[in-house]
Amino acid sequence: EAQVTQNPRYLITVTGKKLTVTCSQNMNHEYMSWYRQDPGLGLRQIYYSMNVEVTDKGDVPEGYKVSRKEKRNFPLILESPSPNQTSLYFCASTPLLAGGENEQFFGPGTRLTVL
Amino acid sequence: GIQVEQSPPDLILQEGANSTLRCNFSDSVNNLQWFHQNPWGQLINLFYIPSGTKQNGRLSATTVATERYSLLYISSSQTTDSGVYFCAVEERAGGFKTIFGAGTRLFVKA
């Protein structure tokens, strides 16, 4: 089954304790992206990657890191989480088809609480 | 950067009613998608529609790229249509950044 998976689905942590949220897709998509969703603000893009070793900032990259060492994986790293990073996080992947329908497919989300 | 505005912000419908949701964007875009976020938080692709009209069952969408808006039509609404509807655009000038609107929250009453 074609899918985007995220782990963990729920996480409660404390300020300053480094954490990683994993994202993996099995569709051989070139493009992957991370978003955070906060009430009333919709989804805001944190980082995106157009291929292996190619990453770029979205609208809200501060406090986050990403890496793209393999095509299928795109982990999100919070080196020193703070309470304002409490949010619902989504990973997405998209094929980059010239002239094609480049739909984004979303993972199930990770609900993070930073105390 | 590009601005994406959705209206109305909230909508309450009686089951069986029709509705139109609107998405305005402030600049040219590479693509546009509509999503439904169900009450469990799952984001479901509805339409990939940078231009033109598409239909899928009771739902249809139209994007008029030259006038910078898209419409999502829901006909004969059902309680399972409840949730939040988002449009998202990919900036043409900003590489491959994606910008979401704030969403339209729909509640369909039985």
Side-chain angles (χ1 to χ4, degrees):
Chain A
E1 180 190 354
Q3 59 183 349
V4 179
T5 57
Q6 296 179 225
N7 283 293
R9 295 288 313 280
Y10 303 91
L11 179 60
I12 301 174
T13 189
V14 295
T15 299
K17 186 177 181 182
K18 181 179 178 180
L19 66 92
T20 298
V21 184
T22 64
C23 173
S24 183
Q25 50 94 5
N26 62 1
M27 297 169 279
N28 201 36
H29 286 170
E30 288 79 12
Y31 183 97
M32 297 185 74
S33 184
W34 277 103
Y35 298 86
R36 62 177 288 172
Q37 184 178 15
D38 303 291
L41 296 178
L43 279 78
R44 293 179 292 166
Q45 195 171 39
I46 302 171
Y47 270 96
Y48 61 94
S49 168
M50 294 185 57
N51 215 323
V52 175
E53 303 292 0
V54 180
T55 62
D56 212 341
K57 295 177 181 178
D59 281 337
V60 288
E62 295 78 20
Y64 304 95
K65 285 175 57 177
V66 293
S67 68
R68 188 91 180 274
K69 293 184 170 54
E70 304 165 283
K71 196 171 186 180
R72 63 182 291 125
N73 296 324
F74 190 43
L76 179 69
I77 303 156
L78 284 71
E79 295 268 4
S80 183
S82 62
N84 64 12
Q85 292 178 299
T86 293
S87 189
L88 178 59
Y89 291 86
F90 287 99
C91 180
S93 74
T94 309
L96 290 180
L97 307 171
E101 294 205 352
N102 294 320
E103 292 182 63
Q104 288 203 50
F105 294 90
F106 281 81
T110 294
R111 188 168 293 281
L112 172 66
T113 301
V114 183
L115 302 175
Chain B
I2 196 167
Q3 305 296 314
V4 180
E5 294 183 354
Q6 291 187 242
S7 60
D10 297 282
L11 187 57
I12 301 174
L13 296 176
Q14 193 67 43
E15 196 170 27
N18 303 328
S19 63
T20 301
L21 281 58
R22 188 177 180 101
C23 173
N24 292 334
F25 42 98
S26 60
D27 205 345
S28 299
V29 298
N30 282 336
N31 63 52
L32 186 146
Q33 275 188 265
W34 283 96
F35 297 91
H36 175 217
Q37 187 171 39
N38 65 23
W40 296 271
Q42 185 182 9
L43 281 161
I44 300 162
N45 293 20
L46 296 177
F47 295 102
Y48 175 88
I49 187 164
S51 63
T53 297
K54 289 185 177 179
Q55 179 153 9
N56 184 3
R58 296 182 296 104
L59 273 60
S60 63
T62 295
T63 297
V64 183
T66 53
E67 297 187 22
R68 298 178 185 167
Y69 72 89
S70 183
L71 302 173
L72 177 70
Y73 306 96
I74 304 174
S75 64
S76 304
S77 57
Q78 300 175 358
T79 57
T80 51
D81 295 332
S82 296
V84 184
Y85 291 81
F86 292 104
C87 71
V89 303
E90 181 187 294
E91 289 187 325
R92 180 164 290 178
F96 282 81
K97 269 191 192 176
T98 300
I99 309 297
F100 274 74
T104 292
R105 184 174 298 275
L106 173 64
F107 179 68
V108 181
K109 299 188 294 184

